[in-house]
Amino acid sequence: MPVLELQDIHKSYRSHLSIRRHWVLRGLSLAIEPGEIFGFIGTNGAGKTTTIKLALGLIFPDSGCVRLFGQEAAQVELRRRVGFLPENPYLYDYLTGEEFLDFHARLFGLDAPARRGRVRELLERVGLANRGDRQLRHYSKGMLQRIGLAQALINDPDLVILDEPMSGLDPLGRREVRDIILDLKARGRTVFFSTHILSDTEMICDRVGLLVRGSLKAVGRIDELVAREVPCWEVALRGVGNRNLPCGEVVSRRDDRILVRVDSQGDLHRLLAILDGRGARLVSVTPGRQSLEDLFIREAQAAVPPEAEARERHAR
């Protein structure tokens, strides 16, 4: 049974003075399985945050059905099994880390001994054990993200939903957040997070969903979504000089090193043939493969008609 399920979701908004509907989601269907890390990727404005708000019951769809743990998501008691970190959380600056977590533990009805133990455990878990007595206004961006994660875990949820959890973090902060997400999976929890940082998605996700302009364009394991065939090869050579190459496109030259791209295996063999007795030396042959970024860019560009793209450029 899916932990989170959205079936044929349509969602639109109207601006204050407009009678026209702006469609944010169009026929979105998605199922998140227990124990997986699911990455929800898409450009800014694709509808990721709207999807998360629908899953949490903060807003409601125009049509379609949202289920949590096999039940209608509108049931308030289901929230006890969910942890949530928004993209831009509001934190009480003058509370310490311990006070902030204790406040949220009170909301879930934990008694004083349970709160103290849970707060200590979570501060240790997110790497803030020696910063719990410091006011949040003195926390760095990475520390605020970690205390936000600790807040999302205060009720020991079965499903953790994170909206852009790595946005604005430096590489060290992103690594820390990735480690926390992987630790949640190791503990049997389900993690659903939105992002547009594709390198992090490739590193930790079991499955991903690609949302483009409110429609789900692809969903599945990364190795299923990206092509396995090799579309090209990059060949690094030394000692070629200025001689003409039998094939390929020169990508770069530096000193006596040259990088050449070839688009077929036959061209690769012809290029390597110049090494025989001509003083050239092979440095490396690197097969090119489609990445998640290639898929992301292709689908995003295909969703924008040329005339619409021109209008958007003109508007900017």
Side-chain angles (χ1 to χ4, degrees):
M1 178 181 66
V3 172
L4 170 62
E5 187 175 12
L6 300 99
Q7 292 183 341
D8 196 25
I9 297 295
H10 291 76
K11 179 63 180 175
S12 66
Y13 292 102
R14 283 194 179 103
S15 63
H16 180 59
L17 297 176
S18 175
I19 62 173
R20 292 186 58 189
R21 286 183 178 273
H22 170 63
W23 288 96
V24 181
L25 297 175
R26 300 174 182 269
L28 174 64
S29 294
L30 185 64
I32 311 303
E33 301 300 328
E36 73 173 343
I37 301 175
F38 190 96
F40 199 43
I41 62 177
T43 57
N44 292 330
K48 302 188 301 296
T49 298
T50 298
T51 303
I52 287 175
K53 289 180 178 179
L54 287 164
L56 292 167
L58 300 176
I59 59 176
F60 300 95
D62 295 357
S63 63
C65 179
V66 182
R67 290 188 176 89
L68 280 173
F69 310 106
Q71 302 179 55
E72 292 294 330
Q75 299 181 52
V76 177
E77 61 270 16
L78 294 176
R79 306 294 183 277
R80 290 186 172 274
R81 300 179 62 186
V82 180
F84 173 50
L85 175 65
E87 180 180 4
N88 297 305
Y90 179 81
L91 306 179
Y92 299 102
D93 287 351
Y94 288 88
L95 292 180
T96 66
E98 291 176 349
E99 291 168 342
F100 176 71
L101 294 180
D102 182 78
F103 169 74
H104 286 275
R106 286 172 182 264
L107 294 177
F108 282 99
L110 275 68
D111 59 29
R115 289 199 308 272
R116 286 193 295 269
R118 187 66 177 155
V119 168
R120 284 196 302 269
E121 175 192 347
L122 287 173
L123 287 172
E124 179 72 31
R125 192 163 161 189
V126 300
L128 294 174
N130 59 345
R131 297 289 189 273
D133 59 349
R134 181 181 297 187
Q135 289 180 323
L136 299 185
R137 64 194 179 109
H138 299 303
Y139 277 24
S140 66
K141 170 69 174 177
M143 292 168 66
L144 289 173
Q145 202 76 341
R146 280 184 279 166
I147 200 71
L149 272 172
Q151 169 274 138
L153 304 178
I154 198 73
N155 56 324
D156 194 19
D158 297 311
L159 170 63
V160 182
I161 299 178
L162 310 172
D163 192 3
E164 301 282 1
M166 301 169 193
S167 177
L169 295 180
D170 60 22
L172 179 59
R174 284 165 50 197
R175 178 179 177 180
E176 291 170 344
V177 172
R178 288 198 305 265
D179 289 344
I180 292 171
I181 292 174
L182 289 171
D183 179 64
L184 286 169
K185 175 181 170 63
R187 294 169 183 258
R189 304 301 187 259
T190 304
V191 181
F192 175 82
F193 74 94
S194 69
T195 185
H196 53 255
I197 303 175
L198 302 183
S199 58
D200 294 325
T201 306
E202 289 188 286
M203 291 177 66
I204 65 174
C205 288
D206 299 303
R207 291 193 303 143
V208 299
L210 172 57
L211 190 70
V212 178
R213 293 190 166 229
S215 297
L216 194 64
K217 296 298 182 181
V219 61
R221 287 169 35 199
I222 293 174
D223 60 352
E224 294 173 343
L225 296 179
V226 300
R228 297 188 179 185
E229 66 270 12
V230 179
C232 66
W233 288 262
E234 289 188 347
V235 183
L237 302 170
R238 288 188 183 275
V240 175
N242 294 321
R243 75 184 68 173
N244 292 327
L245 299 176
C247 58
E249 174 189 358
V250 176
V251 177
S252 66
R253 290 179 183 271
R254 179 176 296 178
D255 300 327
D256 68 334
R257 177 170 172 159
I258 183 173
L259 183 64
V260 183
R261 172 176 170 161
V262 294
D263 296 326
S264 71
Q265 197 163 13
D267 287 344
L268 176 64
H269 291 316
R270 284 193 291 275
L271 181 62
L272 295 180
I274 70 171
L275 300 177
D276 294 338
R278 300 188 184 183
R281 181 162 56 89
L282 176 66
V283 177
S284 65
V285 176
T286 305
R289 297 184 184 276
Q290 179 179 244
S291 66
L292 186 60
E293 182 178 3
D294 296 327
L295 174 67
F296 180 92
I297 292 173
R298 186 178 70 245
E299 292 291 347
Q301 290 177 339
V304 183
E307 60 274 12
E309 189 174 13
R311 286 197 300 270
E312 288 179 3
R313 286 200 302 267
H314 179 70
R316 289 196 294 267

